[in-house]
Amino acid sequence: EPAQRRLRELARLSHRLQQLHPNVLAKILKEGTLFQNEEIVVINKPYGLPVHGGPGVKNCITDVLPILAKMLENMKAEPLHLCHRLDKETTGVMVLARSREVADRIRFLFKTRQVEKIYWAVSLGQPDPAEGVVEIPMVEKAVQSHQSHYKMTLAPSYRLRPEDGREVRTRRERSAESAVTRYRCLASATACSLLELQPITGVKHQIRVHLAYGLGCPILGDHKYSHWSKLAPQKLPEVTLRRLRLQQSKARHLPLHLHARRLRLPLGQQLDLVCKPPPFFLKTLQKLELDISND
């Protein structure tokens, strides 16, 4: 099956990124450079590459920043600095700073919400309404199941009273963080949608949780947030499986379809940094007949 072969190739690529020599990984990131000037370097983050190290992680972006700086400039170049992060499975625009001072300035711009972030995601289902804002606080909670784990979830400020259906304010959870996501449906077909997303805040897994639990439209390939009480492969509609030429038993290999499409960064001048989605993402759009010719 072509689809299953592509999924296996992507899993192998993700695994291979962990086996590469750091110099080779730095070269891959250099070849994916989208923009650079005297202050920043903008890369296209590959799928399956973590930003930070951790258990079982041999290679991450942080570890190769000194090598990448030397490849881009010269052997005496100061290591590049992280300004923000993307999840391991998220692809797209990532900004690195050439100096600590510039990194601090950019982090401040992110913190004070002066950076406009635009993501693309393929979701299951179509949000109703097709355009709007999800403004629901979020909190991390332990999930008690056969395999205990932690997930981000919604912590709404309001609930509906069962007796009369009226909206009443609930007591805010102390550790809940404000989370706001603007969304717009760009295309819809075969029980799926292509969504444009603008996270106004920057809470962990915000887009994934707001789509899955707020709008009931989990991201294609998001096996973590397609269920609450268990860790299990995402259940796909029959029409989507047919279009992807995929068996439900193989759905666990489906990658997360979330891409950091654009960053507008007010750094001296307004920088508009755009990144094309990876081949697997574009192939999925084609198979699901999600037409993006106007975008």
Side-chain angles (χ1 to χ4, degrees), residues 25-36:
L25 182 56
K27 191 176 179 186
I28 290 169
L29 295 180
K30 181 192 172 191
E31 286 167 0
T33 301
L34 302 168
F35 173 84
Q36 58 177 313

Side-chain angles (χ1 to χ4, degrees), residues 88-116:
K88 177 184 172 182
E89 296 89 0
T90 305
T91 57
V93 180
M94 188 162 194
V95 180
L96 307 168
R98 291 193 189 271
S99 70
R100 196 176 299 279
E101 295 73 33
V102 173
D104 288 341
R105 272 166 57 203
I106 294 172
R107 287 186 202 118
F108 178 76
L109 292 173
F110 272 98
K111 191 177 178 182
T112 53
R113 303 178 190 174
Q114 295 182 63
V115 180
E116 187 180 329

